[in-house]
């Protein structure tokens, strides 16, 4: 048996978990059976729809839209505030259960994960039989349902789990994409946001099949590296594997949930600078340098994307990490409003180890450049000031207009 990957996704997680909690507390109404939504904090999140019932979906209410719009579509809509502590508990219960079945699990978000089926395949009659058993056990034990997508590629497993819902198992193997995936609208393709859909529509690309058969060079010319990624996904190309060890175990990072969706590069760059300062300071404090930097984006649609880059030489400077993070962001962003940003570093080495300098780090006489050394001295000086007088003792002037928007975690 070749590679088999499951993508396990909770059906309307926030609403399902809130519904179960309400029933346990004595409610006679199941939120999943009426037009209802989980609504965000109206002031901090502008009252967006976080999750919806199937009945609400029938009114064409979509995740991420303002609550005021949803109420226009369905005036009798039931709105329930989110309970993130509850959601974390329910998520942990699900992951703990799945780990009793297999240790090879990669949690992708609070309500979804990938499972490498290969190591446990001998226990089951077939992948589909195993997925049905897992799905049924989740429903019986926890009271909510999941969809499970099965494939030989992670991206296809993700796509399969998003087929008809709820409480179903679907396959989407590489040999099935022409039949099952290509007829779908390109907006259904994982990672294809609104601006990408519009750009592709202008090229006459309407379905996933249109994109798969399009000239790769033309797609890249209009959508850059993100266009290549979409073209590869449309063709079922994805070499990523299930990562069972969290990146944080081997790296240092930080992320921030924003009190206001970011829509401009200027706002994003300021936020990335704050994160770069935090991450680089932690690297220096631990005596480590990073050989790889990753930028993470979570859109207001709750879709998460990330991209990483190996550096020419390990670094712990704010400037290097910031510039790399901005470059990665430019390659990733599809213009969708952003609710979370993160920077992660990995491939860590001790800052006492010899470093192979690259040409950009050297002065004409092959010694470390004055600029490089100046940046290091500046970083260490700022570290010393903050240690002595506190984190807020000194700030970059460019950050004052942005910092009050951040809600770090």
């Amino acid at each position: 048996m070749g590679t088999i990957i499951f993508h396990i996704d909770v059906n309307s997680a926030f609403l399902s978990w809130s519904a179960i909690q309400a029933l346990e507390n004595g409610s006679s109404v199941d939120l999943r059976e009426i037009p209802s939504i989980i609504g965000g904090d109206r002031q901090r999140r502008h009252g967006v729809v976080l999750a919806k019932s199937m009945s609400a979906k029938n009114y064409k209410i979509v995740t991420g839209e303002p609550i005021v719009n949803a109420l226009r579509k369905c005036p009798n809509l039931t709105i329930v505030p989110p309970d993130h502590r509850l959601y974390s508990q329910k998520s942990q219960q699900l992951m703990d259960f799945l780990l009793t079945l297999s240790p090879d699990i990669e949690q992708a978000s609070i309500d979804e994960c990938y499972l490498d089926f290969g190591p446990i395949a001998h226990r089951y009659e077939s992948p589909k039989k195993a997925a049905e058993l897992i799905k049924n056990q989740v429903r019986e034990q926890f009271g909510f349902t999941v969809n499970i997508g099965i494939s030989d590629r992670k991206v296809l497993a993700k796509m399969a789990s998003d087929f008809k819902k709820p409480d179903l198992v679907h396959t989407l193997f590489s040999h099935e994409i022409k039949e099952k995936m290509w007829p779908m609208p390109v907006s259904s393709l994982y990672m294809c946001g609104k601006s990408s859909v519009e750009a592709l529509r202008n090229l006459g690309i309407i379905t996933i099949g249109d994109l798969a058969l399009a000239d790769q060079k033309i797609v890249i010319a209009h959508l850059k590296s993100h266009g290549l990624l979409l073209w590869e996904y449309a063709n079922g190309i994805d070499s990523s594997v299930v990562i069972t060890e969290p990146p944080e175990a081997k790296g240092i990072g930080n992320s921030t949930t924003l009190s206001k969706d970011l829509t401009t590069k200027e706002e994003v760059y300021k936020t990335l600078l704050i994160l770069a300062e935090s991450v680089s300071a932690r690297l220096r404090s631990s005596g480590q340098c990073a050989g790889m930097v990753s930028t993470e984006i979570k859109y207001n649609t709750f879709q998460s994307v990330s991209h990483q880059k190996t550096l020419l030489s390990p670094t712990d400077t704010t400037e290097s990490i910031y510039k790399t993070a901005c470059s990665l962001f430019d390659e990733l962003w599809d213009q969708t409003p952003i609710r979370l940003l993160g920077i992660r570093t990995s491939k860590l080495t001790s800052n006492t180890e010899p470093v192979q300098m690259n040409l950009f780090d050297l002065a004409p006489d092959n010694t470390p450049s004055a600029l490089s050394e100046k940046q290091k001295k500046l970083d260490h000086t700022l570290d010393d000031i903050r240690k002595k007088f506190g984190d807020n003792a000194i700030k970059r002037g460019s950050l004052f207009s942005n910092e009050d928007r951040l809600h770090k975690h």
Side-chain angles (χ1 to χ4, degrees):
M1 178 182 291
T3 299
I4 300 291
I5 296 170
F6 288 4
H7 182 261
I8 304 170
D9 188 16
V10 180
N11 299 136
S12 196
F14 289 2
L15 188 127
S16 293
W17 292 335
S18 286
I20 291 170
Q21 181 79 350
L23 292 171
E24 291 176 351
N25 290 339
S27 174
S28 60
V29 178
D30 189 332
L31 295 172
R32 293 167 292 187
E33 297 176 358
I34 62 172
S36 64
I37 63 168
I38 302 299
D41 185 314
R42 289 177 183 268
Q43 292 182 344
R44 286 190 53 211
R45 299 302 320 150
H46 305 292
V48 297
V49 176
L50 302 181
K52 60 188 180 300
S53 66
M54 293 300 294
S55 297
K57 186 177 180 180
N58 292 336
Y59 285 90
K60 301 189 183 304
I61 293 171
V62 298
T63 301
E65 77 172 310
I67 288 176
V68 290
N69 288 2
L71 285 169
R72 290 192 192 104
K73 298 175 181 178
C74 179
N76 64 334
L77 188 67
T78 297
I79 303 174
V80 178
D83 184 343
H84 293 291
R85 179 176 296 181
L86 169 69
Y87 304 154
S88 294
Q89 291 172 350
K90 294 292 186 182
S91 173
Q92 191 61 55
Q93 288 172 3
L94 175 61
M95 297 305 156
D96 288 344
F97 165 71
L98 294 174
L99 284 169
T100 66
L101 306 178
S102 170
D104 299 310
I105 287 175
E106 175 188 347
Q107 186 169 358
S109 70
I110 194 169
D111 62 350
E112 61 179 328
C113 70
Y114 294 94
L115 183 150
D116 186 349
F117 180 68
I120 61 172
H122 63 281
R123 303 179 194 168
Y124 301 95
E125 181 181 338
S126 70
K128 194 161 186 180
K129 288 284 188 182
E132 290 284 355
L133 284 171
I134 293 171
K135 173 184 71 66
N136 294 342
Q137 281 182 285
V138 169
R139 184 185 63 247
E140 292 163 9
Q141 184 166 336
F142 300 107
F144 58 84
T145 62
V146 298
N147 262 37
I148 301 181
I150 308 173
S151 184
D152 49 347
R153 300 286 187 272
K154 280 179 76 174
V155 67
L156 297 181
K158 167 77 172 174
M159 289 288 297
S161 70
D162 208 31
F163 288 168
K164 185 180 178 181
K165 299 179 180 182
D167 200 26
L168 293 171
V169 172
H170 300 283
T171 66
L172 182 59
F173 292 101
S174 297
H175 67 272
E176 296 179 303
I177 61 173
K178 291 183 180 180
E179 173 193 353
K180 293 185 176 181
M181 191 173 78
W182 281 10
M184 297 171 65
V186 75
S187 58
S188 299
L189 183 64
Y190 177 53
M191 294 274 287
C192 194
K194 291 181 180 179
S195 61
S196 296
V197 170
E198 187 62 30
L200 292 170
R201 184 180 290 114
N202 291 336
L203 295 174
I205 295 173
I206 307 302
T207 67
I208 296 177
D210 292 338
L211 175 57
L213 299 174
D215 187 324
Q216 183 189 103
K217 293 180 180 178
I218 294 177
V219 175
I220 294 173
H222 286 80
L223 282 85
K224 311 303 179 188
S225 61
H226 190 65
L228 174 60
L229 180 70
L230 294 177
W231 183 89
E232 289 177 340
Y233 281 178
N235 281 284
I237 300 171
D238 179 20
S239 60
S240 59
V241 298
V242 175
I243 302 171
T244 58
E245 187 174 8
E248 291 81 358
K250 295 184 178 180
I252 289 175
N254 196 10
S255 62
T256 181
T257 299
L258 302 141
S259 60
K260 175 184 175 183
D261 291 339
L262 300 189
T263 57
T264 69
K265 282 190 177 182
E266 181 183 7
E267 295 174 310
V268 169
Y269 288 165
K270 288 180 179 180
T271 303
L272 289 176
L273 179 54
I274 293 172
L275 293 172
E277 284 196 320
S278 169
V279 171
S280 60
R282 289 172 60 191
L283 284 170
R284 293 188 293 272
S285 176
S286 64
Q288 295 177 300
C289 290
M292 179 176 284
V293 174
S294 171
T295 296
E296 174 192 8
I297 302 171
K298 179 180 284 186
Y299 295 123
N300 67 353
T301 60
F302 298 94
Q303 181 184 71
S304 296
V305 296
S306 63
H307 198 16
Q308 62 188 26
K309 179 179 181 180
T310 299
L311 305 178
L312 293 174
S313 58
T315 185
D316 62 2
T317 68
T318 299
E319 187 74 9
S320 296
I321 292 171
Y322 169 64
K323 286 184 175 179
T324 304
C326 289
S327 175
L328 291 169
F329 171 82
D330 289 343
E331 294 179 19
L332 271 179
W333 192 35
D334 69 356
Q335 308 298 315
T336 301
I338 298 165
R339 64 173 282 123
L340 176 145
L341 284 168
I343 295 177
R344 306 284 173 192
T345 59
S346 55
K347 292 188 176 180
L348 305 187
T349 58
S350 171
N351 61 11
T352 61
E353 291 183 14
V355 175
Q356 178 66 48
M357 304 297 287
N358 65 70
L359 292 177
F360 302 101
D361 292 328
L362 298 177
D365 61 355
N366 287 333
T367 61
S369 72
L371 179 59
S372 176
E373 289 301 301
K374 194 172 182 180
Q375 288 171 353
K376 290 181 180 180
K377 288 180 180 178
L378 173 61
D379 285 337
H380 285 290
T381 298
L382 294 175
D383 290 344
D384 291 340
I385 293 173
R386 286 167 178 153
K387 284 179 184 176
K388 189 172 182 179
F389 300 104
D391 290 341
N392 295 322
I394 187 167
K395 299 184 180 73
R396 297 175 188 263
S398 60
L399 300 179
F400 279 106
S401 61
N402 189 59
E403 194 163 343
D404 62 344
R405 290 204 307 264
L406 299 184
H407 174 66
K408 295 187 179 178
H409 59 272

